[in-house]
mmCIF file of all heavy atoms in Angstrom:
data_model
loop_
_atom_site.group_PDB
_atom_site.id
_atom_site.type_symbol
_atom_site.label_atom_id
_atom_site.label_comp_id
_atom_site.label_asym_id
_atom_site.label_seq_id
_atom_site.Cartn_x
_atom_site.Cartn_y
_atom_site.Cartn_z
ATOM 1 N N PRO A 354 -5.240 -4.092 17.307
ATOM 2 C CA PRO A 354 -4.030 -4.869 17.556
ATOM 3 C C PRO A 354 -3.707 -5.779 16.384
ATOM 4 O O PRO A 354 -4.598 -6.238 15.690
ATOM 5 C CB PRO A 354 -4.393 -5.691 18.802
ATOM 6 C CG PRO A 354 -5.871 -5.755 18.812
ATOM 7 C CD PRO A 354 -6.358 -4.508 18.123
ATOM 8 N N ARG A 355 -2.426 -6.023 16.180
ATOM 9 C CA ARG A 355 -2.008 -6.938 15.130
ATOM 10 C C ARG A 355 -2.117 -8.351 15.661
ATOM 11 O O ARG A 355 -1.529 -8.698 16.668
ATOM 12 C CB ARG A 355 -0.570 -6.617 14.730
ATOM 13 C CG ARG A 355 -0.190 -7.295 13.454
ATOM 14 C CD ARG A 355 1.110 -6.754 12.981
ATOM 15 N NE ARG A 355 2.066 -7.831 13.106
ATOM 16 C CZ ARG A 355 3.354 -7.666 13.141
ATOM 17 N NH1 ARG A 355 3.863 -6.482 13.073
ATOM 18 N NH2 ARG A 355 4.154 -8.685 13.252
ATOM 19 N N THR A 356 -2.886 -9.187 14.960
ATOM 20 C CA THR A 356 -3.108 -10.539 15.431
ATOM 21 C C THR A 356 -2.465 -11.591 14.542
ATOM 22 O O THR A 356 -2.195 -12.677 14.991
ATOM 23 C CB THR A 356 -4.615 -10.844 15.532
ATOM 24 O OG1 THR A 356 -5.207 -10.617 14.259
ATOM 25 C CG2 THR A 356 -5.274 -9.946 16.568
ATOM 26 N N ALA A 357 -2.253 -11.273 13.281
ATOM 27 C CA ALA A 357 -1.699 -12.260 12.361
ATOM 28 C C ALA A 357 -0.176 -12.217 12.409
ATOM 29 O O ALA A 357 0.409 -11.155 12.524
ATOM 30 C CB ALA A 357 -2.178 -11.982 10.938
ATOM 31 N N PRO A 358 0.476 -13.365 12.293
ATOM 32 C CA PRO A 358 1.941 -13.373 12.279
ATOM 33 C C PRO A 358 2.452 -12.775 10.972
ATOM 34 O O PRO A 358 1.797 -12.851 9.946
ATOM 35 C CB PRO A 358 2.284 -14.859 12.362
ATOM 36 C CG PRO A 358 1.082 -15.567 11.848
ATOM 37 C CD PRO A 358 -0.091 -14.699 12.187
#
Side-chain angles (χ1 to χ4, degrees):
R355 193 169 112 200
T356 57

